[in-house]
Amino acid sequence: MKNLKFMLLGASLLLCFGCSTQVQKKSESTSMEVNKENTVIETIMSRRSVRKYKPQAVNRDTMQIILDCGINAPNGQNKQSWEVRVVDNPDFINGITEIYKKENPAVTGNPNFKNMFRNASTVVFIANDPSYDLSQIDCGLLGENMILSAWSMGIGSCCLGGPTRFMTSTPAAAEYLKRLALPEGYQLLYCIAFGYPDETPVAKPRIKEKVRFIE
Protein backbone atom coordinates (compact mmCIF):
# COMPACT_ATOMS: atom_id res chain seq x y z
CA MET A 1 0.00 0.00 0.00
CA LYS A 2 2.82 2.35 0.91
CA ASN A 3 4.53 1.67 -2.40
CA LEU A 4 1.30 2.45 -4.21
CA LYS A 5 1.00 5.76 -2.36
CA PHE A 6 4.58 6.69 -3.24
CA MET A 7 3.97 5.80 -6.87
CA LEU A 8 0.84 7.96 -6.99
CA LEU A 9 2.65 10.85 -5.30
CA GLY A 10 5.53 10.60 -7.73
CA ALA A 11 3.19 10.53 -10.71
CA SER A 12 1.38 13.59 -9.38
CA LEU A 13 4.63 15.50 -8.96
CA LEU A 14 5.75 14.59 -12.45
CA LEU A 15 2.38 15.65 -13.85
CA CYS A 16 2.52 19.00 -12.01
CA PHE A 17 6.11 19.59 -13.08
CA GLY A 18 5.30 18.71 -16.66
CA CYS A 19 2.28 21.02 -16.71
CA SER A 20 4.30 23.80 -15.13
CA THR A 21 7.06 23.43 -17.70
CA GLN A 22 4.56 23.38 -20.54
CA VAL A 23 2.81 26.49 -19.20
CA GLN A 24 6.14 28.28 -18.87
CA LYS A 25 7.20 27.35 -22.39
CA LYS A 26 3.79 28.32 -23.71
CA SER A 27 4.02 31.67 -21.88
CA GLU A 28 7.47 32.38 -23.30
CA SER A 29 6.35 31.37 -26.77
CA THR A 30 3.25 33.56 -26.51
CA SER A 31 5.38 36.49 -25.34
CA MET A 32 7.69 36.12 -28.34
CA GLU A 33 4.73 35.90 -30.70
CA VAL A 34 3.17 39.04 -29.21
CA ASN A 35 6.43 40.94 -29.64
CA LYS A 36 6.59 39.94 -33.30
CA GLU A 37 2.95 40.60 -34.08
CA ASN A 38 2.32 43.71 -31.98
CA THR A 39 3.40 46.67 -34.09
CA VAL A 40 3.54 49.02 -31.09
CA ILE A 41 5.99 46.78 -29.24
CA GLU A 42 8.01 46.22 -32.41
CA THR A 43 8.26 49.98 -32.98
CA ILE A 44 9.37 50.64 -29.41
CA MET A 45 11.97 47.87 -29.39
CA SER A 46 13.41 48.69 -32.82
CA ARG A 47 13.63 52.47 -32.41
CA ARG A 48 17.11 54.00 -32.36
CA SER A 49 18.35 57.56 -32.01
CA VAL A 50 19.50 58.73 -35.44
CA ARG A 51 22.35 61.22 -35.81
CA LYS A 52 22.86 61.09 -39.55
CA TYR A 53 20.12 62.02 -42.02
CA LYS A 54 19.49 62.04 -45.75
CA PRO A 55 18.98 65.49 -47.36
CA GLN A 56 15.32 64.70 -48.15
CA ALA A 57 13.03 66.79 -45.95
CA VAL A 58 10.02 65.39 -44.13
CA ASN A 59 6.91 66.80 -45.77
CA ARG A 60 4.51 68.78 -43.63
CA ASP A 61 1.59 66.39 -44.06
CA THR A 62 3.67 63.63 -42.50
CA MET A 63 4.95 65.96 -39.81
CA GLN A 64 1.35 66.91 -38.98
CA ILE A 65 0.55 63.27 -38.25
CA ILE A 66 3.59 63.12 -35.96
CA LEU A 67 2.53 66.33 -34.21
CA ASP A 68 -1.03 65.09 -33.75
CA CYS A 69 0.34 61.97 -32.10
CA GLY A 70 2.43 64.20 -29.86
CA ILE A 71 -0.35 66.38 -28.53
CA ASN A 72 -2.45 63.29 -27.83
CA ALA A 73 0.05 62.18 -25.20
CA PRO A 74 -1.17 61.80 -21.61
CA ASN A 75 -0.69 64.93 -19.53
CA GLY A 76 -1.52 66.07 -16.01
CA GLN A 77 -5.06 67.38 -15.55
CA ASN A 78 -5.20 67.88 -19.32
CA LYS A 79 -3.27 71.12 -18.81
CA GLN A 80 -1.35 70.48 -22.06
CA SER A 81 1.43 72.55 -20.53
CA TRP A 82 3.55 72.56 -23.66
CA GLU A 83 4.20 74.73 -26.67
CA VAL A 84 5.48 73.17 -29.88
CA ARG A 85 7.26 74.94 -32.73
CA VAL A 86 8.21 73.23 -35.98
CA VAL A 87 11.09 74.65 -38.01
CA ASP A 88 11.81 73.34 -41.50
CA ASN A 89 12.98 76.68 -42.88
CA PRO A 90 16.61 76.35 -44.04
CA ASP A 91 17.21 80.06 -43.37
CA PHE A 92 16.34 79.61 -39.70
CA ILE A 93 18.35 76.40 -39.30
CA ASN A 94 21.38 77.70 -41.18
CA GLY A 95 21.20 81.12 -39.54
CA ILE A 96 21.32 79.84 -35.96
CA THR A 97 23.99 77.34 -37.04
CA GLU A 98 26.22 80.17 -38.25
CA ILE A 99 25.98 81.78 -34.83
CA TYR A 100 26.76 78.43 -33.25
CA LYS A 101 29.85 78.03 -35.43
CA LYS A 102 31.13 81.47 -34.44
CA GLU A 103 30.75 80.58 -30.78
CA ASN A 104 32.17 77.07 -31.30
CA PRO A 105 34.70 77.29 -34.16
CA ALA A 106 35.99 73.77 -33.50
CA VAL A 107 32.90 72.27 -35.16
CA THR A 108 33.96 73.70 -38.52
CA GLY A 109 36.79 71.19 -38.55
CA ASN A 110 34.28 68.42 -39.12
CA PRO A 111 33.65 68.14 -42.88
CA ASN A 112 30.32 66.40 -42.24
CA PHE A 113 28.96 69.21 -40.06
CA LYS A 114 26.11 71.05 -41.79
CA ASN A 115 23.89 72.24 -38.98
CA MET A 116 23.73 72.10 -35.20
CA PHE A 117 20.72 69.78 -35.26
CA ARG A 118 22.62 66.70 -36.42
CA ASN A 119 22.12 67.95 -39.99
CA ALA A 120 18.37 67.28 -39.79
CA SER A 121 16.09 69.21 -42.12
CA THR A 122 13.22 69.48 -39.62
CA VAL A 123 13.46 70.45 -35.98
CA VAL A 124 10.66 70.47 -33.41
CA PHE A 125 11.19 72.77 -30.44
CA ILE A 126 9.33 71.97 -27.23
CA ALA A 127 8.76 74.47 -24.43
CA ASN A 128 7.16 73.93 -21.04
CA ASP A 129 5.23 75.99 -18.54
CA PRO A 130 7.36 75.99 -15.35
CA SER A 131 4.44 77.26 -13.28
CA TYR A 132 3.15 73.65 -13.41
CA ASP A 133 5.67 71.47 -11.59
CA LEU A 134 5.00 68.38 -13.73
CA SER A 135 5.11 70.12 -17.10
CA GLN A 136 8.51 68.67 -17.98
CA ILE A 137 7.10 65.17 -17.63
CA ASP A 138 4.21 66.07 -19.92
CA CYS A 139 6.63 67.46 -22.50
CA GLY A 140 8.66 64.27 -22.32
CA LEU A 141 5.57 62.16 -22.99
CA LEU A 142 4.66 64.40 -25.91
CA GLY A 143 8.11 63.99 -27.42
CA GLU A 144 8.09 60.22 -27.04
CA ASN A 145 4.77 59.98 -28.86
CA MET A 146 6.25 61.95 -31.76
CA ILE A 147 9.44 59.91 -31.82
CA LEU A 148 7.61 56.57 -31.92
CA SER A 149 5.03 57.63 -34.49
CA ALA A 150 7.82 58.98 -36.70
CA TRP A 151 9.78 55.74 -36.44
CA SER A 152 6.70 53.74 -37.42
CA MET A 153 6.69 55.70 -40.69
CA GLY A 154 10.39 55.26 -41.40
CA ILE A 155 11.45 58.64 -40.02
CA GLY A 156 14.34 58.89 -37.60
CA SER A 157 14.78 61.33 -34.76
CA CYS A 158 17.10 62.40 -31.99
CA CYS A 159 16.33 64.30 -28.79
CA LEU A 160 18.70 67.26 -28.42
CA GLY A 161 19.38 69.39 -25.38
CA GLY A 162 22.58 71.13 -26.47
CA PRO A 163 21.03 73.34 -29.19
CA THR A 164 18.26 74.60 -26.91
CA ARG A 165 20.75 75.26 -24.11
CA PHE A 166 22.80 77.25 -26.60
CA MET A 167 19.78 79.24 -27.77
CA THR A 168 18.67 80.11 -24.24
CA SER A 169 22.11 81.03 -22.92
CA THR A 170 23.79 82.80 -25.85
CA PRO A 171 22.89 86.49 -26.34
CA ALA A 172 23.75 86.29 -30.04
CA ALA A 173 21.04 83.64 -30.47
CA ALA A 174 18.30 85.72 -28.83
CA GLU A 175 16.83 86.71 -32.21
CA TYR A 176 16.15 83.07 -33.10
CA LEU A 177 14.72 82.29 -29.69
CA LYS A 178 12.37 85.24 -30.15
CA ARG A 179 11.30 83.96 -33.56
CA LEU A 180 9.85 80.87 -31.87
CA ALA A 181 7.22 83.21 -30.41
CA LEU A 182 6.80 81.31 -27.14
CA PRO A 183 4.14 82.60 -24.75
CA GLU A 184 5.31 84.66 -21.81
CA GLY A 185 6.49 82.45 -18.98
CA TYR A 186 7.23 79.41 -21.13
CA GLN A 187 10.81 78.15 -21.35
CA LEU A 188 12.48 76.28 -24.17
CA LEU A 189 13.11 72.77 -22.85
CA TYR A 190 14.52 70.62 -25.65
CA CYS A 191 14.21 69.91 -29.34
CA ILE A 192 13.90 66.87 -31.57
CA ALA A 193 15.61 66.46 -34.93
CA PHE A 194 13.57 64.61 -37.56
CA GLY A 195 14.63 63.18 -40.89
CA TYR A 196 15.10 60.07 -42.99
CA PRO A 197 17.89 57.94 -41.48
CA ASP A 198 21.20 57.67 -43.27
CA GLU A 199 22.58 55.17 -40.78
CA THR A 200 21.50 52.03 -38.97
CA PRO A 201 22.53 52.41 -35.32
CA VAL A 202 23.05 49.30 -33.23
CA ALA A 203 21.05 49.03 -30.02
CA LYS A 204 22.98 49.95 -26.90
CA PRO A 205 22.68 47.58 -23.92
CA ARG A 206 20.16 48.35 -21.21
CA ILE A 207 20.77 47.62 -17.53
CA LYS A 208 17.84 45.38 -16.67
CA GLU A 209 18.94 45.18 -13.04
CA LYS A 210 17.70 48.74 -12.58
CA VAL A 211 14.15 47.38 -12.88
CA ARG A 212 12.76 45.30 -10.00
CA PHE A 213 9.46 44.02 -8.75
CA ILE A 214 8.79 44.88 -5.11
CA GLU A 215 6.85 42.29 -3.13
Side-chain angles (χ1 to χ4, degrees), residues 9 25 28-29 39 43 46-47 55 62 64 68 73 94 122 136 141 144 148 155 158 163 170 172 185 196 201 209 212:
L9 178 62
K25 289 182 177 180
E28 291 175 354
S29 176
T39 55
T43 297
S46 66
R47 185 216 60 83
T62 302
Q64 189 60 60
D68 288 343
N94 295 334
T122 301
Q136 290 192 14
L141 293 169
E144 182 72 355
L148 292 175
I155 299 166
C158 186
T170 307
Y196 292 96
E209 290 74 16
R212 293 184 294 165

Side-chain angles (χ1 to χ4, degrees), residues 34 37 83 98 113 126 129 145-146:
V34 168
E37 296 176 2
E83 285 286 329
E98 287 302 313
F113 181 87
I126 299 169
D129 178 5
N145 265 25
M146 290 195 289

Side-chain angles (χ1 to χ4, degrees), residues 60-162:
R60 289 194 171 186
D61 288 341
T62 302
M63 279 306 305
Q64 189 60 60
I65 295 172
I66 295 170
L67 295 164
D68 288 343
C69 288
I71 62 174
N72 275 280
N75 62 96
Q77 303 174 47
N78 197 33
K79 286 180 176 290
Q80 302 180 49
S81 57
W82 50 56
E83 285 286 329
V84 182
R85 300 292 181 268
V86 185
V87 175
D88 56 8
N89 180 352
D91 291 337
F92 186 109
I93 293 174
N94 295 334
I96 186 62
T97 296
E98 287 302 313
I99 296 173
Y100 181 79
K101 290 196 294 186
K102 288 179 182 178
E103 299 286 336
N104 302 274
V107 300
T108 59
N110 181 355
N112 297 318
F113 181 87
K114 296 178 181 178
N115 71 51
M116 63 190 288
F117 306 102
R118 296 289 180 178
N119 300 342
S121 57
T122 301
V123 184
V124 173
F125 294 91
I126 299 169
N128 73 301
D129 178 5
S131 68
Y132 175 47
D133 61 348
L134 299 179
S135 65
Q136 290 192 14
I137 295 175
D138 291 349
C139 288
L141 293 169
L142 172 139
E144 182 72 355
N145 265 25
M146 290 195 289
I147 287 168
L148 292 175
S149 60
W151 188 256
S152 74
M153 295 186 287
I155 299 166
S157 63
C158 186
C159 282
L160 302 171

Side-chain angles (χ1 to χ4, degrees), residues 22-39:
Q22 289 179 2
V23 168
Q24 183 178 358
K25 289 182 177 180
K26 185 177 181 180
S27 177
E28 291 175 354
S29 176
T30 302
S31 177
M32 292 175 64
E33 289 174 3
V34 168
N35 288 349
K36 289 180 180 179
E37 296 176 2
N38 190 306
T39 55

Side-chain angles (χ1 to χ4, degrees), residues 156-185:
S157 63
C158 186
C159 282
L160 302 171
T164 55
R165 188 183 301 116
F166 175 81
M167 292 176 68
T168 56
S169 63
T170 307
E175 172 193 348
Y176 289 89
L177 183 60
K178 184 178 180 180
R179 285 175 63 178
L180 295 179
L182 299 174
E184 185 176 354

Side-chain angles (χ1 to χ4, degrees), residues 1-10:
M1 183 64 70
K2 288 183 179 180
N3 289 339
L4 180 60
K5 289 182 178 179
F6 282 127
M7 290 175 62
L8 290 173
L9 178 62

